[in-house]
Structures are given as structure tokens and as C-alpha cells.
Amino acid sequence: MKTGSAPKTIDEYIAGFPKDVQKLLQQVRKTIQKAAPDAEEAIKYQIPTFTLNGGNLVHFAAYKEHIGFYPAPRAIEEFKDELGAYAGAKGTVRFPLDKPIPLDLIGRMVKFRVGKSSGKAGAKRKKR
């Protein structure tokens, strides 16, 4: 990504990458939009973020060799069998740029997160 001022929108963020990476980022973005039509776009932590019911739903970002997807630890745990082929951590999965991005899996993870977010809306932030 270009250095300088931080992006203020997802469009600005995506525009900072080479065309082939832009295409992948747009595919991820459209997949999230389809899976969570009520979610709103934002830039948080200087990366694209979708929010729902006042909280962060998922984040994604491009790096030199992968697309990072951040659906929260619960979603990683829920889909761990399907994510076995990908590097990642507690709340992160890395999809290599040189392999097809599993858009169907991303869509299902986003829908999982929407379900958790909707259930949380009523009992908002009690645990904090």
C-alpha cells in the first residue's frame, strides 16, 4: 500500500494496491456485502472493516503475499476444519495471493458472524 495519509474509505484503501490485488479485495468486499447486507463499511485500524449493530463484524486487508481476514476468534474456531489449509492465528486467517480466495467460505464465516452479532445486539456489551 502507498505510504502517506491513511485511507478514509474502503475505496481509497483498495485503490492503493496493484490492479490484481484490487480485484481480489473487491471480490472479498462484495462477498462480505452479500453475506451481511445490513453491515456498514468503515476504516478501523487503518484497514477495511464492516460493522453491524454498533460493533465490528469483520476486517480484511492486503499484504505482500496474502489477504488477511479477521472474523474474530469464534468464527475461526467454528470453521477450523475448513481453515486448516491456511495460516492464521486466534482471530486471523491468511489467504495467499497466489491461490484462489475461498469466497464461499468467507461468505459463510460472515453469515456466522452476523448471527452472533444479531444475538448480541440485545445483550449489548454486558460482558465488558
Side-chain angles (χ1 to χ4, degrees):
M1 181 153 158
K2 298 173 190 167
T3 56
S5 63
K8 292 175 181 46
T9 66
I10 293 179
D11 286 329
E12 284 181 22
Y13 178 89
I14 291 173
F17 289 92
K19 293 285 184 207
D20 58 332
V21 176
Q22 287 182 29
K23 182 179 178 188
L24 295 174
L25 290 169
Q26 287 290 10
Q27 289 174 340
V28 171
R29 180 189 199 181
K30 285 182 185 356
T31 300
I32 296 167
Q33 289 170 333
K34 185 176 178 186
D38 295 330
E40 295 181 17
E41 293 188 349
I43 293 287
K44 295 192 176 185
Y45 312 106
Q46 296 186 1
I47 61 173
T49 301
F50 280 80
T51 63
L52 187 65
N53 299 323
N56 294 338
L57 187 65
V58 295
H59 310 272
F60 66 99
Y63 299 94
K64 185 176 180 181
E65 296 182 359
H66 70 276
I67 300 274
F69 182 64
Y70 311 94
R74 248 194 188 153
I76 298 291
E77 181 63 25
E78 180 72 16
F79 292 89
K80 69 181 176 191
D81 292 343
E82 293 177 77
L83 294 170
Y86 303 101
K90 187 176 177 184
T92 307
V93 61
R94 291 191 290 271
F95 300 117
L97 293 176
D98 62 352
K99 303 245 183 345
I101 303 292
L103 299 173
D104 178 66
L105 176 58
I106 289 172
R108 287 184 287 121
M109 293 176 79
V110 171
K111 286 179 183 176
F112 174 82
R113 289 285 296 130
V114 168
K116 293 298 177 193
S117 176
S118 298
K120 234 194 253 181
K124 195 168 179 171
R125 311 230 191 269
K126 273 188 179 175
K127 289 185 179 181
R128 287 191 179 190

